[in-house]
Amino acid sequence: MLKILGRKNSSNVQKVLWTCAELGIPFEREDVGMQFGRNKEAEYLAMNPNGLVPTVIDDGLVLWESNAIVRYLAAKHGAGKLWPTDPGERATADKWMDWSNTVLDRRFGPCFIGLVRTAPEKRDQAMIHASRDETSAAFAMLEAAFGKSKYVGGATFTIGDIPLGPIAYRWHNLPIKRENYPNLRGWYERMTQRPAFREHVMLPIT
Ligand SMILES: N[C@@H](CCC(=O)N[C@@H](CS)C(=O)NCC(=O)O)C(=O)O
C-alpha cells in the first residue's frame, strides 16, 4: 500500500492526501516533521535528502517533491480525469502547479509563518504586510485566470488546481485583509464543496 510520510497540517502533505482521496487511492500515513521529528534522521534523509515532508513510498518507488508526487499519482490512477492526457491541457495544468510553488507559495510563506507559527511579540509586522500584499498581487493573476475558465486547467478540475487549494484555504481563513476577487472566491467555494478537500485541507490552521 502507498505510504505517505508527513504531518497532516503541512500544505505540501495535504496536496498528496487530497489527491489520494480524490482518486480513491488507499494509503497509510505516518506523522513526520515539526514536533514529530524523524525528518532529519539518517533513515529519512536516505529517502529524502532535503529532510522535508512529504515523502511517499509506492511499490519500492521513493518520491519527494509534492507536485511531482501529485503528478505521479494522477498519471497512475487518474489519466483522463485529474491528469489530462492532452499535452496542451496537461501543460496548462502543469504551468499553474509550477507557478504555485515558485510564486504563490514563496510570496505567502512569510505571512503564514508570521501569523501562525510565530509568537505575537516576535512577529515582524512589516514582513507580514509585505508578504500579504505580494500574495494578493499573485492572487490577482488567478482572479484573471478564473475569469476565463472555471478551473486552472480549463473546464474541469485537474492536478493544476491541487497545489493552489491549501494556500487558498489559508488565505481565505486567516485574519488578514483580502481584496474582492469574486472569481477566485467562486473557485475556492467550489473546492470547499469537494469532500476530499474538506477532509484533508479544511483542518485547523497550525
Ligand atoms: N518543495 C517541497 C517543499 C517541502 C516542504 O517545504 N515541506 C515543509 C512542510 S510544508 C517541511 O518539511 N517543513 C519541515 C518540517 O515539517 O519539519 C515540496 O513541495 O514537497
Side-chain angles (χ1 to χ4, degrees):
M1 187 184 299
L2 176 72
K3 186 182 276 190
I4 301 171
L5 303 176
R7 55 188 170 81
K8 61 184 179 185
N9 63 340
S10 148
S11 59
N12 289 308
V13 174
Q14 288 175 358
K15 296 177 200 175
V16 176
L17 299 173
W18 180 18
T19 301
C20 287
E22 289 285 351
L23 295 171
I25 305 168
F27 64 87
E28 293 167 354
R29 187 188 62 80
E30 291 178 18
D31 278 322
V32 176
M34 271 179 43
Q35 73 270 33
F36 303 103
R38 286 181 57 190
N39 51 321
K40 303 297 176 195
E41 292 173 6
E43 190 190 350
Y44 189 88
L45 292 171
M47 292 186 287
N48 181 347
N50 301 288
L52 297 172
V53 295
T55 298
V56 304
I57 307 160
D58 187 34
D59 275 337
L61 173 71
V62 177
L63 267 184
W64 39 265
E65 280 300 330
S66 57
N67 286 1
I69 298 166
V70 170
R71 289 183 178 107
Y72 164 73
L73 294 173
K76 188 170 173 182
H77 301 278
K81 293 180 279 182
L82 260 194
W83 195 75
T85 44
D86 174 79
E89 284 175 22
R90 194 168 65 247
T92 303
D94 271 340
K95 173 185 76 177
W96 285 106
M97 293 180 84
D98 288 358
W99 179 86
S100 178
N101 267 17
T102 57
V103 178
L104 188 64
D105 198 29
R106 277 192 204 162
R107 291 193 189 186
F108 187 50
C111 178
F112 172 77
I113 297 290
L115 289 177
V116 177
R117 303 217 177 122
T118 308
E121 67 279 8
K122 292 196 177 145
R123 285 180 193 158
D124 180 340
Q125 294 296 347
M127 187 185 73
I128 291 171
H129 284 124
S131 166
R132 193 223 69 90
D133 290 351
E134 287 166 14
T135 308
S136 186
F139 273 126
M141 296 184 225
L142 269 182
E143 171 67 10
F146 290 132
K148 296 182 192 134
S149 66
K150 201 168 167 193
Y151 299 93
V152 287
T156 59
F157 176 74
T158 67
I159 46 172
D161 297 286
I162 300 261
L164 305 168
I167 307 174
Y169 171 66
R170 292 168 172 193
W171 173 258
H172 283 96
N173 289 282
L174 284 176
I176 48 177
K177 178 181 152 209
R178 283 175 291 277
E179 282 73 13
N180 183 29
Y181 293 145
N183 299 327
L184 173 69
R185 183 92 211 176
W187 169 87
Y188 169 69
E189 281 171 6
R190 284 197 290 286
M191 295 303 108
T192 67
Q193 285 156 22
R194 303 187 76 86
F197 184 84
R198 299 182 75 84
E199 183 180 357
H200 293 292
V201 181
M202 297 178 70
L203 304 177
I205 301 174
T206 57

